[in-house]
């Protein structure tokens, strides 16, 4: 089936992926593509609407991202956001001015009556601004549809030509009713039908994969992570027993995770799953190693060796599955082709497998869509809502040497933290939360005896993309519960601390 599509032209702003995600959440497929796409290519793409994103430049700067003015004559509705709206004004004969100070944050906004874009939106509202330049005069034929204290033309439009500009960011939740505005553009202005749903996606993918994979052998490396789990399950629907999944148990997963992989994929879904028990092998290699980068390197190399041995047993295959997702595609080469993920657990695989082609069934999907597909395919929440987890696993959450005793302590402490966060209903709003074993031991007293054990640290952060993060304001009583339970239930635990650093300057992981 051919989906209706919206083209999101990327001018380099920080919320660009978010715009694309919001459009898709509203049921319309879209691609985020570089702003310099030619008119020819745009016509070929045949979008029902075009969105210009924000960007860091000023339209008057030399070499600032530009568009071919012919785009306004294509008869395709256009919505320009932030830099995108300034560009519309600039290209069509309006003026853009430079403010002395940058406006950043919430702003009161007033919408005029009668604009399709703001239909059903309260007249006075709050929007999210992040700009220095602003549109000071709209082009001829345009009407001003929204104003704020600092922006005389926070919204403007030429409804006849279906060209709309907004200075504020509809895509962030701080813009109240931002979703409604975007919906109005897609459905009210562009006349979209909304044919992008994850159940459609699954149905179409399975049908086309069935044709492609008929009689072919397929191999997939399962890491326990969301992407490989969903990719494998989707392929399994189409390829059945022709798919073999290899799961390398390096012993560095969290409590219960290795068992769950076997339980869900082999026992419940009936997949052909090979589990390579390499726990001893990894521990031996990690003996005496304290330096985090060295740990990563050893784990990466060892993983590939174990996988290679299993792949040899399976022999030549037609396809190797990669769990590449859309942000990897965007970040790797502006949509051209995905570089194979370079983190340790899949990076080196292609060179050790005898295969003909790589298959990436999730390369068009954002992470939240991958999760929805997982749910659609019947995977449990514990798999599809799994937090991001580093490839080298618990080895980089133990400072200093990794050994079985520390792993045991960490698994138990981490499990308690996860349980209490979930009980408090905080698991969806906190991006990542986990325990760490530090390399500092301190004195404690338990019963009448003196103890001397490594400090356990708790880390919990909020984030949207892991590039920046803030420490989560977990209520004291939840922290108290976690701390008490760890001390009472986990041997070798005598002191718990909570990490209150944001990223930057810290990172999310301790390593
Ligand atoms: P940092 O610690 O750099 O982590 O703030 C950013 C995000 O990346 C995750 N992370 C990894 N994910 N393979 C992965 O797939 C890795 O080797 C790896 N190392 C860190 C980390 O958990 C956080 O979400």
């Amino acid at each position: 089936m051919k989906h209706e599509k919206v083209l999101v032209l990327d001018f380099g702003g920080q919320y660009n992926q978010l715009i694309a995600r919001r459009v898709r959440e509203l049921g319309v497929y879209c691609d985020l593509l570089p702003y310099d796409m030619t008119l020819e290519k745009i016509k070929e793409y045949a979008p029902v609407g075009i969105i210009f994103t924000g960007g860091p430049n000023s339209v008057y700067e030399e070499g600032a991202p530009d568009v071919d003015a012919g785009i306004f004559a294509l008869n395709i509705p256009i919505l320009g956001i932030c830099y995108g709206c300034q560009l519309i004004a600039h290209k069509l004969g309006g003026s853009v001015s430079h403010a002395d100070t940058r406006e950043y944050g919430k702003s009161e906004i007033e919408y005029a009556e009668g604009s399709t874009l703001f239909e059903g939106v309260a007249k006075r509202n709050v929007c999210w601004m992040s700009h220095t330049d602003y549109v000071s005069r709209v082009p001829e034929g345009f009407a001003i549809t929204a104003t704020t204290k600092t922006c005389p033309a926070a919204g403007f439009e030429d409804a006849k030509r279906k060209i709309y500009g907004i200075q504020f960011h509809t895509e962030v939740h701080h813009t109240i009713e931002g979703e409604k505005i975007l919906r109005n553009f897609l459905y009210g202005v562009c006349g979209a039908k909304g044919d992008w749903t994850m159940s459609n996606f699954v149905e179409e993918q399975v049908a086309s994969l069935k044709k492609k994979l008929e009689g072919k052998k397929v191999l997939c490396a399962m890491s326990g992570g969301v992407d490989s789990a969903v990719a494998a399950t989707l392929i399994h629907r189409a390829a059945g027993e022709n798919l073999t999944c290899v799961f390398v148990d390096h012993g560095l997963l969290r409590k219960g995770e290795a068992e769950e992989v076997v339980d869900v994929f082999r026992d419940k879904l009936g997949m052909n799953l090979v589990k390579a028990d390499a726990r001893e092998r990894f521990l031996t290699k990690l003996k005496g190693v304290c330096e985090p980068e060295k740990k990563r390197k050893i784990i990466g190399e060892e993983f590939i060796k174990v996988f290679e041995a299993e792949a040899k047993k399976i022999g030549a295959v037609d396809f190797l599955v990669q769990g590449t997702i859309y942000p990897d595609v965007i970040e790797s080469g502006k949509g051209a082709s995905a570089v194979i993920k370079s983190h340790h657990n899949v990076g080196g695989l292609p060179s050790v497998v005898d295969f003909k082609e790589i298959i990436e069934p999730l390369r068009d999907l954002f992470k939240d869509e991958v999760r929805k597909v997982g749910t659609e395919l019947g995977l449990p929440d514990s798999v599809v809502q799994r937090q991001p987890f580093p490839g080298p696993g618990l080895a980089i959450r133990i400072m200093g040497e990794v050994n079985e005793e520390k792993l045991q302590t960490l698994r138990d402490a981490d499990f308690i933290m996860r349980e209490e966060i979930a009980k408090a209903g905080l698991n969806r709003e906190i991006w990542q939360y986990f325990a760490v074993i530090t390399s500092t031991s301190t004195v404690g007293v338990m019963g009448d005896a003196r103890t001397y054990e490594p400090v356990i640290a708790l880390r919990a952060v909020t984030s949207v993309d892991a590039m920046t993060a803030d420490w989560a304001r977990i209520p004291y009583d939840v922290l108290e519960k976690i701390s008490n339970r760890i001390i009472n239930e986990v041997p070798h635990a005598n002191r718990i601390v909570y990490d209150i650093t944001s990223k930057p300057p810290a990172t999310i992981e301790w390593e």
Side-chain angles (χ1 to χ4, degrees):
M1 181 179 138
K2 228 171 129 34
H3 290 281
E4 60 188 2
K5 293 183 291 188
V6 160
L7 174 60
V8 184
L9 284 184
D10 187 354
F11 288 91
Q14 55 170 332
Y15 300 125
N16 297 357
Q17 285 197 29
L18 201 52
I19 297 176
R21 278 168 54 194
R22 295 279 178 261
V23 170
R24 295 219 197 154
E25 273 166 19
L26 289 166
V28 181
Y29 183 80
C30 68
D31 282 302
L32 180 64
L33 291 169
Y35 68 88
D36 57 1
M37 193 172 178
T38 61
L39 271 190
E40 272 321 299
K41 283 258 184 285
I42 294 175
K43 278 191 226 162
E44 212 176 282
Y45 185 91
V48 296
I50 300 174
I51 296 177
F52 295 172
T53 73
N57 301 77
S58 164
V59 290
Y60 295 118
E61 261 168 47
E62 183 133 2
D66 200 2
V67 285
D68 186 326
I71 199 167
F72 299 109
L74 291 178
N75 239 341
I76 301 170
I78 293 176
L79 171 67
I81 299 175
C82 196
Y83 180 80
C85 94
Q86 294 162 15
L87 193 62
I88 291 175
H90 180 59
K91 298 294 284 186
L92 296 177
S95 305
V96 175
S97 300
H98 191 71
D100 293 334
T101 49
R102 180 176 143 89
E103 184 184 14
Y104 181 82
K106 289 180 189 168
S107 214
E108 278 178 25
I109 187 161
E110 196 169 327
Y111 299 111
E113 301 281 340
S115 168
T116 308
L117 202 58
F118 305 127
E119 199 169 307
V121 176
K123 193 168 162 24
R124 280 203 182 75
N125 225 324
V126 169
C127 70
W128 182 260
M129 291 285 195
S130 171
H131 66 110
T132 318
D133 288 3
Y134 65 98
V135 174
S136 45
R137 188 170 54 83
V138 300
E140 212 165 296
F142 277 74
I144 291 177
T145 52
T147 47
T148 69
K149 239 191 214 146
T150 49
C151 277
F156 54 93
E157 67 184 46
D158 180 343
K160 242 202 227 135
R161 293 163 75 190
K162 299 194 177 174
I163 301 173
Y164 298 78
I166 49 176
Q167 181 55 61
F168 55 96
H169 292 270
T170 44
E171 65 279 12
V172 301
H173 286 301
H174 308 291
T175 293
I176 301 186
E177 299 189 291
E179 183 189 313
K180 206 180 262 174
I181 297 169
L182 210 48
R183 179 186 292 276
N184 285 341
F185 177 68
L186 298 171
Y187 291 90
V189 177
C190 304
K193 311 253 168 350
D195 60 10
W196 179 247
T197 66
M198 289 308 105
S199 64
N200 282 350
F201 174 85
V202 169
E203 211 174 285
E204 287 160 28
Q205 282 293 310
V206 171
S208 81
L209 285 169
K210 260 191 183 147
K211 270 193 217 145
K212 186 171 176 159
L213 302 179
E214 203 183 340
K216 308 275 194 215
K217 280 180 90 171
V218 192
L219 178 63
C220 179
M222 278 273 224
S223 63
V226 182
D227 303 343
S228 66
V230 176
T233 313
L234 191 60
I235 298 279
H236 179 247
R237 277 274 173 102
E241 60 185 28
N242 286 336
L243 167 72
T244 306
C245 292
V246 173
F247 167 54
V248 175
D249 183 5
H250 52 21
L252 304 167
L253 290 181
R254 297 174 305 178
K255 186 171 178 166
E257 285 189 318
E259 295 78 3
E260 183 175 44
V261 169
V262 176
D263 175 59
V264 170
F265 298 97
R266 184 194 285 165
D267 302 343
K268 295 214 171 74
L269 293 173
M271 272 189 213
N272 200 350
L273 179 85
V274 178
K275 177 180 151 179
D277 184 352
R279 289 176 294 177
E280 275 297 321
R281 188 172 164 157
F282 277 84
L283 264 191
T284 310
K285 283 277 173 186
L286 287 169
K287 208 170 174 157
V289 181
C290 296
E291 216 266 305
E293 279 306 305
K294 208 159 168 200
K295 286 181 192 168
R296 280 181 174 272
K297 197 154 175 271
I298 290 171
I299 295 164
E301 283 169 4
E302 217 45 33
F303 185 92
I304 289 171
K305 280 187 204 154
V306 176
F307 190 84
E308 182 177 21
E310 294 303 327
K312 282 232 163 75
K313 287 186 210 160
I314 294 161
V317 295
D318 298 284
F319 292 98
L320 176 68
V321 183
Q322 291 274 331
T324 314
I325 68 171
Y326 195 52
D328 307 325
V329 176
I330 299 172
E331 280 148 26
S332 67
K334 297 278 177 195
S337 79
V339 263
I340 291 147
K341 276 192 182 181
S342 59
H343 69 78
H344 94 281
N345 40 359
V346 289
L349 291 188
S351 60
V352 298
V353 178
D354 186 359
F355 71 102
K356 291 199 188 98
E357 215 182 299
I358 281 183
I359 185 165
E360 301 170 314
L362 309 178
R363 62 173 286 133
D364 288 334
L365 304 186
F366 283 111
K367 192 80 177 192
D368 32 5
E369 294 175 316
V370 171
R371 294 191 208 277
K372 281 186 201 146
V373 167
T375 304
E376 196 72 42
L377 291 166
L379 291 174
D381 264 9
S382 52
V383 173
V384 296
Q385 298 301 340
R386 188 178 187 252
Q387 320 171 31
F389 187 69
L394 301 182
I396 58 161
R397 292 182 179 170
I398 291 173
M399 307 304 101
E401 190 192 17
V402 176
N403 61 39
E404 189 48 45
E405 186 182 290
K406 287 188 201 165
L407 276 170
Q408 193 58 44
T409 305
L410 180 54
R411 276 192 214 106
D412 290 345
D414 183 76
F415 186 75
I416 289 171
M417 182 173 190
R418 282 195 278 153
E419 236 179 24
E420 290 303 325
I421 295 277
K423 260 195 230 160
L426 298 169
N427 48 332
R428 290 283 176 100
E429 66 194 68
I430 302 181
W431 170 268
Q432 266 176 293
Y433 44 97
F434 53 87
V436 168
I437 301 218
T438 73
S439 48
T440 299
S441 290
T442 67
V443 172
V445 52
M446 244 173 190
D448 290 325
R450 175 187 185 276
T451 58
Y452 188 61
E453 302 286 1
V455 176
I456 294 175
L458 306 177
R459 179 72 163 147
V461 296
T462 53
S463 176
V464 284
D465 54 10
M467 302 293 284
T468 59
D470 196 7
W471 59 279
R473 272 46 170 187
I474 298 179
Y476 282 163
D477 54 345
V478 178
L479 284 172
E480 180 186 22
K481 196 89 177 275
I482 297 169
S483 167
N484 280 347
R485 277 195 59 197
I486 293 175
I487 296 290
N488 288 329
E489 296 172 33
V490 182
H492 307 292
N494 74 355
R495 189 181 300 271
I496 318 285
V497 297
Y498 187 50
D499 181 348
I500 50 167
T501 4
S502 61
K503 172 186 179 175
T507 51
I508 295 176
E509 301 291 343
W510 276 41
E511 314 226 0

